[in-house]
């Protein structure tokens, strides 16, 4: 059954990217390992809870960030947005909705994989969100 | 954070304290120098209906002494601002140079420029280079030593795709990224890979 799941994902990814899925996986590993731990944690959390978006405070709880969420915005989040890995929508002057960029050529692979294999982790993340 | 960067940060805060202390002393001395009697008046009409004491006060403020004083203080502040903008503490320079040489090879030409900038010249004839600018601290955050990395102008049709696939973005036909000090090495490797692809 697991093998079938893999095949399904493979065919979908080939359709999605028009290329070898191993290549996408390789580039995704390269990208994720090049980021520092805060950025990595943000992308993983956001990929798991996609298509939900979160506020800055929720995000900093989700990744166990101890600093102020404002310093998260000015630093890490703005860098991620610059590199078009996340999208930030300003709802009100103080409230932002942060979500992963589903158009990003590598992160859409990650989202796809999280959706297929990460349901347990998604539950964990969503439970953490409910607590806030 | 790397040991060298920790030392650089400590050195920087220490130097800043010393500089501020020195500026305070210099400020006091300048005040003394410029406001010793006699005051050199700037001639002008003084309104009649102002009380005596006020006039004396205005005369102190409205004089060449004040002009000189303001000039002296602004020169001090200018040098302080220039000093904080221009130079990276030595341990941080050693760290950055080490990382750059580790990626681009020890034979590569690296120009150190004023304003905490480094330029790695990859290919002099084709004008291919990578610029690295370091900021001591990102305003509004606790981040120290944030680097801005950008390549020279690149001419390829699918530049945007290549940039995204290497965690970079395109600005003005250049591959750019803002990276923290702990990702400097790994993301420069990705930038070098991307540059190799667009060659």
């Amino acid at each position: 059954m697991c093998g079938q799941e893999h095949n399904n994902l493979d065919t979908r990814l080939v359709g999605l990217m028009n290329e070898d899925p191993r290549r996408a996986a390789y580039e995704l590993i390269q990208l994720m390992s090049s980021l520092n731990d805060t950025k990595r944690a943000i992308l993983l959390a956001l990929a798991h809870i996609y298509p939900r978006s979160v506020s800055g405070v929720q995000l900093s709880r989700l990744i166990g960030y101890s600093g102020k969420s404002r310093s998260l915005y000015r630093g890490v989040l703005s860098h991620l947005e610059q590199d078009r890995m996340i999208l930030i929508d300003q709802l009100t002057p103080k409230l932002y909705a942060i979500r992963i960029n589903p158009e990003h050529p590598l992160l859409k692979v990650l989202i796809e994989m999280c959706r297929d294999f990460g349901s347990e982790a998604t539950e964990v993340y969503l439970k953490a969100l409910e607590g806030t | 954070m790397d040991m060298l960067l920790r030392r650089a940060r400590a050195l920087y805060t220490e130097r800043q304290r010393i500089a501020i202390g020195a500026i305070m002393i210099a400020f006091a001395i300048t005040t003394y120098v410029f406001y010793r009697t006699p005051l050199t008046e700037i001639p002008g009409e003084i309104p009649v209906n102002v009380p005596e004491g006020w006039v004396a006060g205005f005369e102190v403020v409205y004089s060449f002494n004040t002009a000189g004083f303001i000039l002296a203080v602004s020169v001090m502040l200018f040098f302080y601002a220039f000093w904080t903008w221009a130079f990276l503490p030595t341990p941080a320079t050693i760290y950055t140079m080490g990382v750059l040489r580790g990626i681009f090879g020890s034979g590569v030409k690296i120009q150190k420029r004023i304003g905490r900038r480094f330029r790695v010249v990859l290919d002099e004839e084709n004008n291919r280079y990578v610029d690295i600018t370091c900021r001591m601290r990102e305003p509004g955050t606790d981040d120290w030593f944030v680097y801005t990395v950008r390549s020279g102008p690149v001419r390829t049709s699918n530049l945007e795709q290549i940039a995204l696939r290497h965690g970079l973005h395109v600005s003005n036909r250049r591959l750019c990224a803002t990276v923290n000090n702990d990702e400097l090495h790994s993301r420069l490797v990705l930038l070098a890979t991307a540059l190799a692809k667009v060659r």
Side-chain angles (χ1 to χ4, degrees):
Chain A
M1 187 211 156
C2 202
Q4 200 183 353
E5 250 178 41
H6 274 277
N7 280 337
N8 277 343
L9 181 67
D10 279 357
T11 46
R12 237 180 312 149
L13 286 183
V14 170
L16 204 65
M17 329 254 326
N18 280 329
E19 64 180 1
D20 190 349
R22 287 191 313 157
R23 180 194 167 92
Y26 166 77
E27 288 185 343
L28 183 62
I29 293 171
Q30 285 254 301
L31 175 68
M32 289 302 273
S33 54
S34 80
L35 301 171
N36 67 7
D37 36 10
T38 316
K39 291 183 184 172
R40 210 154 46 214
I42 290 173
L43 288 184
L44 270 182
L46 290 178
H48 275 103
I49 61 167
Y50 180 81
R52 277 189 66 159
S53 59
V54 290
S55 71
V57 179
Q58 283 176 321
L59 184 64
S60 51
R61 296 231 184 121
L62 216 50
I63 62 166
Y65 182 77
S66 60
K68 284 182 188 152
S69 63
R70 196 187 55 189
S71 92
L72 207 58
Y73 279 122
R74 296 244 176 106
V76 176
L77 286 180
S78 71
H79 301 163
L80 282 177
E81 193 192 19
Q82 251 182 6
D83 294 332
R84 294 183 38 202
M85 296 189 218
I86 60 169
L87 304 170
I88 303 179
D89 301 313
Q90 191 169 15
L91 302 178
T92 67
K94 278 198 163 179
L95 189 64
Y96 296 86
I98 304 158
R99 64 201 164 97
I100 198 163
N101 181 6
E103 313 264 284
H104 192 285
L106 298 177
L107 293 179
K108 71 183 173 196
V109 179
L110 180 66
I111 294 171
E112 200 69 25
M113 287 198 281
C114 287
R115 190 183 291 162
D116 283 20
F117 309 121
S119 54
E120 291 83 6
T122 307
E123 262 171 47
V124 173
Y125 280 121
L126 288 179
K127 203 168 277 178
L129 272 185
E130 275 168 27
T132 60
Chain B
M1 195 186 281
D2 192 85
M3 206 56 214
L4 281 170
L5 289 183
R6 273 177 214 276
R7 263 174 43 206
R9 182 175 66 180
L11 212 62
Y12 178 75
T13 41
E14 193 77 350
R15 280 188 195 159
Q16 206 153 36
R17 257 178 238 148
I18 293 172
I20 287 174
I23 280 187
M24 277 161 70
I25 293 170
F27 185 82
I29 293 174
T30 338
T31 316
Y32 172 72
V33 167
F34 280 101
Y35 288 111
R36 262 181 329 177
T37 44
L39 289 174
T40 317
E41 279 177 46
I42 298 174
E45 289 292 314
I46 296 167
V48 198
N49 53 355
V50 180
E52 279 279 303
W54 281 79
V55 173
F58 276 132
E59 271 171 5
V60 172
V61 177
Y62 187 65
S63 60
F64 276 120
N65 304 48
T66 302
F69 177 74
I70 289 173
L71 202 67
V73 169
S74 47
V75 165
M76 271 193 275
L77 287 180
F78 171 77
F79 275 107
Y80 175 71
F82 177 77
W83 172 76
T84 47
W85 168 77
F87 305 109
L88 203 59
T90 321
T93 311
I94 294 172
Y95 171 81
T96 312
M97 293 293 276
V99 169
L100 293 180
R101 293 217 179 279
I103 292 167
F104 297 103
S106 48
V108 77
K109 197 169 124 193
I110 301 177
Q111 299 166 351
K112 277 186 271 182
R113 302 180 161 198
I114 212 158
R116 301 186 179 132
R117 289 184 300 167
F118 300 84
R119 172 168 285 192
V120 184
V121 183
L122 298 173
D123 185 352
E124 210 145 359
E125 288 160 24
N126 298 329
N127 193 27
R128 283 155 46 75
Y129 55 83
V130 180
D131 275 340
I132 294 105
T133 313
C134 180
R135 259 168 304 168
M136 288 298 291
R137 58 187 317 184
E138 193 82 319
T141 66
D142 305 328
D143 299 342
W144 282 79
F145 300 105
V146 177
Y147 291 88
T148 308
V149 180
R150 55 194 333 212
S151 73
V154 184
R155 305 219 159 271
T156 321
S157 51
N158 56 349
L159 189 61
E160 189 79 14
Q161 275 298 310
I162 288 175
L164 285 183
R165 283 177 160 265
H166 293 84
L168 310 161
H169 64 273
V170 179
S171 129
N172 204 6
R173 298 208 127 267
R174 292 157 196 265
L175 297 168
C176 306
T178 311
V179 305
N180 282 67
N181 57 70
D182 46 357
E183 356 167 77
L184 180 65
H185 183 270
S186 51
R187 297 196 68 181
L188 272 175
V189 168
L190 276 186
L191 177 70
T193 320
L195 281 179
K197 278 189 186 162
V198 296
R199 177 160 43 193

